[in-house]
Amino acid sequence: FMVRKHYCRAIRGSSGNAGNIFLITDRLNLANRGEINTLSEGTGSAGNMTIQAGSRITLANAASITANTSAGQGNITLNTPLLLMRRNS
């Protein structure tokens, strides 16, 4: 499963929470500044993110998995037997 960019977002001035992300795959490869992100710029919480990868998660070349918020929390849960982070990821 290749990801270029995916995000859930609550924009500035909103009061709702950002959406949750739940991803199940055998392998997740993020590369070349690819990102999975949940973000809240309003008063709501960033969404929760759960990624289950049966064999591995690989991040390379400044790829990222993030939860950003200005008001409340966003949780990230990674379930995988192998997590590889290379080249500024």
Side-chain angles (χ1 to χ4, degrees):
F1 185 71
M2 291 291 291
V3 174
R4 298 251 187 240
K5 185 173 184 177
H6 180 78
Y7 61 91
C8 291
R9 182 177 182 181
I11 62 172
R12 187 177 321 264
S14 66
S15 60
N17 296 334
N20 295 321
I21 298 171
F22 189 74
L23 177 63
I24 300 173
T25 187
D26 182 52
R27 288 183 181 181
L28 175 63
N29 297 308
L30 289 171
N32 302 322
R33 296 190 307 185
E35 63 183 294
I36 301 175
N37 183 354
T38 180
L39 167 69
S40 174
E41 295 177 332
T43 59
S45 296
N48 295 311
M49 184 184 321
T50 301
I51 300 174
Q52 293 180 320
S55 62
R56 70 179 172 198
I57 296 173
T58 303
L59 283 71
N61 299 326
S64 64
I65 297 173
T66 61
N68 299 313
T69 184
S70 58
Q73 67 182 10
N75 298 303
I76 299 173
T77 303
L78 302 176
N79 297 311
T80 187
L82 180 60
L83 175 62
L84 299 171
M85 298 172 67
R86 299 178 177 162
R87 297 180 206 98
N88 299 316
S89 291

